[in-house]
Amino acid sequence: MMIETAVVVEYLMPSWWEIKLAVAASVFVIVSYWFFTFQGGDGGSGYGYRSPLLENSDDGILDDKDKMVQLKGDLQTYSPYLIKVELLAAKNLIGANLNGTSDPYAIITCGSEKRFSSMVPGSRNPMWGEEFNFSVDELPVQINVTIYDWDIIWKSAVLGSVTVPIESEGQSTAIWHTLDSPSGQVCLHVKTIKLPVNSSRGINGYAGANARRRITLDKQGPTVVHQKPGPLQTIFNLLPDEVVERRFSCALERSFLYHGRMYVSAWHICFHSNVFSKQMKVVIPFGDIDEIRRSQHAFINPAITIILRMGAGGHGVPPLGSPDGRVRYKFASFWNRNHALRALQCAAKNYRAMLEAEKKERAESALRAHSSSIGGSRRRAKAPEDTASKPEKLQAFIKEEVLVGIYNDVFPCTAEQFYNLLLSDDSSFTNEYRSARKDTNLNMGQWHAADEYDGQVREITLRSICKSPMCPPDTAMTEYQHIVLSADKKKLVFETVQQAHDVPFGSYFEVHCRWCAETSGENSSVLDIKAGRFPVVFYILSTISLR
């Protein structure tokens, strides 16, 4: 009997080797969890990329003053009215599930803009407390709120909708609106703000890149791109010049993981899934992102959470809610979560650097346009004189570093004759040259002085013939010209900046050129011509690398 008991005890008790193995495995699991949760990425923080607007906030929450600065600078800055819609709650919704409850979420629409609220599972009386910001050009407008029941596989069912007219600026109290359904009400708080002109029409903050592209489309018409469209165009209907820079296989967390692919471009993070014939498309603008942080799904599945700024709302699929009112998307099942996280952080930083560089370039372009627009009352009939005696610091008209010499030889006229024959307001050379090229819609301004530049400036617009198979038949062109003739009229500097608007990626570069004629004889001069293409994209990348 004693022998049998000893055998049983020996069988049930673990050996010393088994104990060491179990302890080692436990330590490995704990260390691994700590590493994947708090380490990796940039700097070892669990937060990763964070919007610079929140860097000075201790708790990551903007106060009302900071919110107004963010709203004025970061939203679509071309609209003078900002409408803030607070989706507070709903009650007595239709029970769409078999157990008499619903999984409601809302889609808020204003004009062409559409935002998604988070989904509240198993409730007929959901509480949201989420804010959605819309920018509009004029009032009145209508805000439509439609509430749906989320379904894992089938198409979402409509629980009711309501349309709220916004006729003037101001603020309303929280109001319960009755839905156009047998049962249900939704509580909304709407505030309309008229933004100052300088903030509503300038390019500031995160919306700069989107605003730039919006200007191109609005002013120049549709851009024809003769290239095979990629997934961003065929799946998400994004602009033709937007290309995929990175792509990852991952899954979107909802009721369960919807596996699909993530596409990262310079402006958006996109996700597409087609599970059980349920199409899910998420398009997240980088300008709407507050944080990109690492997280976990089901404890052992490393994930990435993208938290959107307050008022951004969801894009394409109901996001996950959070106590502070910001919504978020969580992606899991990456092959290498830390690698994907670093790539997303880098793309977000590149986006902001691109906006800063684009803002600088647009400011220079606006400076040229401003100089052309205010010079009518300051035109001078005589040749431009050297204005180097101005005490203030003058702007450089072109980028010196991109110029490459293409011609240097003796030209059979003096610098003054060169100006009179080819460039003066009385010269017909430009009209004859553009006519011979079969350019159309030529509109040429006159030379006038500018405070920002030495000498004189003028602006020329036209439509120019394109002979490349990658381009449309013709394109809108803008040429800014700058000229300085020395006081003794023996040295002439003529500079141009050309912008092509309708060619593929035309907004990505400018053509800079400098003609320098210096009189060397009675009827001759030394003519030096330099030209170069200023690539805005490469300039942006170089700015990023310097940072």
Side-chain angles (χ1 to χ4, degrees):
M1 189 65 179
M2 295 290 293
I3 297 176
E4 293 179 356
T5 303
V7 171
V8 171
V9 171
E10 183 180 358
Y11 178 77
L12 293 178
M13 292 295 293
S15 65
W16 179 244
W17 179 85
E18 291 173 330
I19 294 175
K20 291 193 293 184
L21 181 62
V23 171
S26 301
V27 172
F28 176 77
V29 171
I30 294 173
V31 171
S32 299
Y33 174 76
W34 177 83
F35 176 81
F36 285 112
T37 304
F38 302 103
Q39 300 297 317
D42 295 337
S45 172
Y47 286 84
Y49 171 79
R50 196 175 192 188
S51 170
L53 288 172
L54 296 178
E55 289 179 353
N56 296 327
S57 176
D58 294 334
D59 56 2
I61 307 299
L62 296 173
D63 57 23
D64 292 337
K65 181 178 179 181
D66 292 333
K67 286 181 182 178
M68 287 306 302
V69 172
Q70 183 182 19
L71 294 176
K72 292 179 181 180
D74 292 358
L75 292 180
Q76 297 180 3
T77 55
Y78 286 81
S79 300
Y81 292 99
L82 173 68
I83 300 177
K84 300 174 62 177
V85 180
E86 291 186 61
L87 177 65
L88 300 177
K91 63 182 180 179
N92 301 325
L93 298 177
I94 298 174
N97 298 335
L98 295 177
N99 60 0
T101 64
S102 295
D103 304 315
Y105 69 94
I107 297 181
I108 300 91
T109 305
C110 178
S112 60
E113 297 184 64
K114 180 185 295 185
R115 308 290 168 79
F116 287 70
S117 76
S118 61
M119 184 268 291
V120 180
S123 175
R124 293 182 57 198
N125 302 289
M127 301 289 291
W128 281 293
E130 296 175 4
E131 181 180 296
F132 306 87
N133 299 322
F134 300 93
S135 54
V136 297
D137 294 325
E138 58 184 2
L139 299 178
V141 295
Q142 291 186 334
I143 302 293
N144 179 267
V145 180
T146 303
I147 299 180
Y148 293 84
D149 173 64
W150 173 262
D151 195 282
I152 296 177
I153 299 177
W154 310 114
K155 185 178 180 180
S156 299
V158 178
L159 302 181
S161 66
V162 63
T163 299
V164 181
I166 309 296
E167 298 180 351
S168 61
E169 58 180 301
Q171 178 172 306
S172 67
T173 59
I175 300 176
W176 286 96
H177 300 270
T178 302
L179 303 177
D180 59 351
S181 58
S183 175
Q185 290 181 304
V186 62
C187 185
L188 302 175
H189 178 227
V190 181
K191 183 178 181 180
T192 305
I193 304 171
K194 184 175 178 62
L195 299 179
V197 176
N198 58 350
S199 65
S200 63
R201 297 291 172 182
I203 297 181
N204 303 306
Y206 295 110
N210 294 333
R212 172 190 62 77
R213 306 170 85 218
R214 178 175 167 183
I215 289 175
T216 303
L217 293 180
D218 291 346
K219 293 181 65 176
Q220 308 301 336
T223 300
V224 180
V225 179
H226 299 277
Q227 60 184 18
K228 184 178 179 181
L232 298 181
Q233 290 73 41
T234 58
I235 300 176
F236 305 100
N237 296 321
L238 297 181
L239 295 180
D241 63 343
E242 194 159 350
V243 296
V244 176
E245 296 181 352
R246 305 294 294 270
R247 64 184 72 198
F248 304 97
S249 175
C250 60
L252 174 67
E253 178 182 321
R254 293 304 315 159
S255 305
F256 64 90
L257 293 179
Y258 290 85
H259 193 80
R261 292 194 68 83
M262 176 185 287
Y263 304 91
V264 183
S265 73
W267 290 278
H268 297 92
I269 298 175
C270 304
F271 175 83
H272 175 250
S273 173
N274 188 3
V275 178
F276 302 126
S277 298
K278 186 177 181 69
Q279 292 269 356
M280 302 187 72
K281 302 177 184 179
V282 180
V283 181
I284 307 175
F286 275 111
D288 284 349
I289 296 177
D290 260 356
E291 299 179 46
I292 301 177
R293 60 166 65 172
R294 61 181 48 80
S295 57
Q296 298 292 131
H297 171 76
F299 184 76
I300 60 172
N301 189 358
I304 296 175
T305 298
I306 300 176
I307 302 177
L308 307 186
R309 60 174 171 78
M310 183 73 73
H315 301 274
V317 172
L320 302 173
S322 59
D324 60 7
R326 297 183 297 171
V327 297
R328 55 196 170 90
Y329 288 100
K330 180 181 285 189
F331 300 93
S333 298
F334 291 92
W335 285 105
N336 188 331
R337 190 276 306 270
N338 285 345
H339 173 72
L341 177 66
R342 286 191 291 268
L344 295 181
Q345 292 173 355
C346 182
K349 293 177 181 178
N350 290 352
Y351 174 81
R352 179 161 181 81
M354 177 177 64
L355 292 189
E356 294 297 328
E358 224 175 46
K359 182 179 178 181
K360 180 179 179 180
E361 288 306 308
R362 190 166 293 278
E364 293 180 0
S365 179
L367 192 61
R368 300 188 191 104
H370 175 70
S371 300
S372 299
S373 64
I374 66 173
S377 61
R378 308 175 61 185
R379 292 170 184 161
R380 296 183 293 180
K382 62 180 181 177
E385 300 294 338
D386 189 4
T387 56
S389 59
K390 291 183 179 181
E392 64 272 12
K393 184 178 180 180
L394 300 174
Q395 299 283 340
F397 195 80
I398 62 176
K399 295 292 185 182
E400 181 76 29
E401 62 270 16
V402 304
L403 299 181
V404 177
I406 59 175
Y407 180 87
N408 188 298
D409 206 346
V410 177
F411 199 73
C413 71
T414 63
E416 183 180 8
Q417 291 171 341
F418 188 95
Y419 168 78
N420 293 331
L421 292 174
L422 304 180
L423 302 175
S424 68
D425 288 332
D426 298 329
S427 172
S428 61
F429 170 77
T430 301
N431 288 281
E432 295 174 358
Y433 170 71
R434 292 298 176 184
S435 178
R437 281 181 44 88
K438 298 183 180 180
D439 296 335
T440 58
N441 298 346
L442 177 64
N443 184 11
M444 185 166 57
Q446 291 186 325
W447 292 109
H448 60 272
D451 293 334
E452 300 86 359
Y453 306 109
D454 196 6
Q456 295 187 354
V457 296
R458 71 178 177 183
E459 179 181 346
I460 297 177
T461 59
L462 64 139
R463 293 202 67 86
S464 181
I465 301 296
C466 294
K467 297 182 180 180
S468 172
M470 295 293 293
C471 300
D474 63 353
T475 177
M477 296 280 297
T478 300
E479 181 173 295
Y480 300 102
Q481 297 183 346
H482 171 236
I483 193 171
V484 177
L485 185 62
S486 63
D488 57 6
K489 300 184 179 180
K490 291 186 177 181
K491 184 175 181 180
L492 172 71
V493 177
F494 174 58
E495 298 173 326
T496 64
V497 175
Q498 291 183 339
Q499 297 175 344
H501 302 294
D502 296 333
V503 301
F505 309 104
S507 60
Y508 282 54
F509 65 89
E510 297 173 339
V511 177
H512 293 202
C513 187
R514 171 181 291 164
W515 299 53
C516 184
E518 188 168 0
T519 301
S520 59
E522 185 177 353
N523 290 305
S524 64
S525 62
V526 176
L527 181 62
D528 181 67
I529 303 176
K530 295 181 178 180
R533 181 181 63 183
F534 175 62
V536 177
V537 173
F538 291 165
Y539 175 76
I540 293 170
L541 294 177
S542 64
T543 305
I544 295 170
S545 63
L546 290 176
R547 294 184 178 184

